[in-house]
């Protein structure tokens, strides 16, 4: 065993270290595109999530307005539009609000749009969020 240590030390001293020149540059050239791709994916996912939250907030606000006593689906659409105008900015593009699926006893507000894309020329992800609930109405106890 003691004989191997001097041999190892001699080998380390005799090794030409110039062979390693440029290794870090090559490693970075291989790894950097994956790191950049990961960063873009995280940012894109965050933008999608934020646009989704904006659409859900607008749908919930519209539902709250449409459910109130003597209000209608049009009031809910108007309120959802106001929320989108105030919060969406460039995060939720081509947004639309509808009350498809609503009945006399139940109201449904649906907000759709497209999340902004990080890559130019690539379409964003389509987002659809909805909220539904019963319409408030006066009832007589015992009926």
């Amino acid at each position: 065993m003691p004989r191997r240590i001097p041999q190892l030390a001699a080998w380390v001293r005799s090794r030409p270290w110039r062979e390693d020149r440029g290794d870090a540059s090559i490693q970075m050239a291989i790894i950097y595109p994956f790191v950049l791709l990961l960063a873009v994916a995280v940012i894109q996912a965050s933008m999608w999530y934020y646009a989704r939250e904006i659409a859900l907030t607008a749908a919930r606000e519209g539902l709250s307005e449409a459910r109130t006593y003597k209000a209608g689906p049009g009031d809910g659409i108007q309120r959802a539009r106001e929320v989108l105008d105030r919060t969406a900015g460039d995060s939720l593009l081509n947004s639309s609000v509808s009350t498809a699926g609503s009945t006399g006893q139940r109201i449904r507000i649906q907000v759709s749009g497209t999340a902004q894309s990080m890559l130019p020329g690539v379409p964003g992800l389509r987002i659809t969020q909805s909220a539904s609930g019963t319409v408030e109405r006066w009832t007589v106890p015992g009926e």
Side-chain angles (χ1 to χ4, degrees):
M1 197 72 128
R3 198 160 155 73
R4 288 187 180 167
I5 292 175
Q7 289 174 350
L8 179 62
W11 177 79
V12 168
R13 279 192 300 267
S14 68
R15 188 166 185 258
W17 292 105
R18 287 188 294 226
E19 292 175 13
D20 289 343
R21 218 174 257 176
D23 279 358
S25 298
I26 292 172
Q27 291 169 358
M28 286 304 295
I30 292 171
I31 293 173
Y32 189 70
F34 294 110
V35 171
L36 189 61
L37 184 63
L38 179 65
V40 168
V42 167
I43 293 169
Q44 184 65 56
S46 299
M47 291 173 67
W48 170 80
Y49 179 77
Y50 182 62
R52 186 176 168 267
E53 289 299 310
I54 289 172
L56 185 58
T57 300
R60 286 179 178 169
E61 288 285 326
L63 176 65
S64 293
E65 184 69 28
R67 288 183 65 206
T68 57
Y69 184 64
K70 291 194 177 180
D75 298 320
I77 289 175
Q78 181 180 355
R79 177 69 179 145
R81 262 284 140 224
E82 289 171 5
V83 171
L84 285 173
D85 291 342
R86 189 178 68 234
T87 59
D90 290 337
S91 298
L92 187 63
L93 307 172
N94 305 323
S95 59
S96 64
V97 181
S98 96
T99 57
S102 296
T103 63
Q105 283 78 32
R106 195 154 185 83
I107 189 82
R108 180 174 186 251
I109 304 288
Q110 183 174 350
V111 178
S112 300
T114 305
Q116 191 175 22
S117 177
M118 283 283 296
L119 304 173
V122 177
L125 296 171
R126 187 82 180 142
I127 294 172
T128 301
Q129 291 292 323
S130 63
S132 64
T134 56
V135 176
E136 292 181 6
R137 57 191 170 92
W138 288 101
T139 58
V140 178
E143 285 186 14

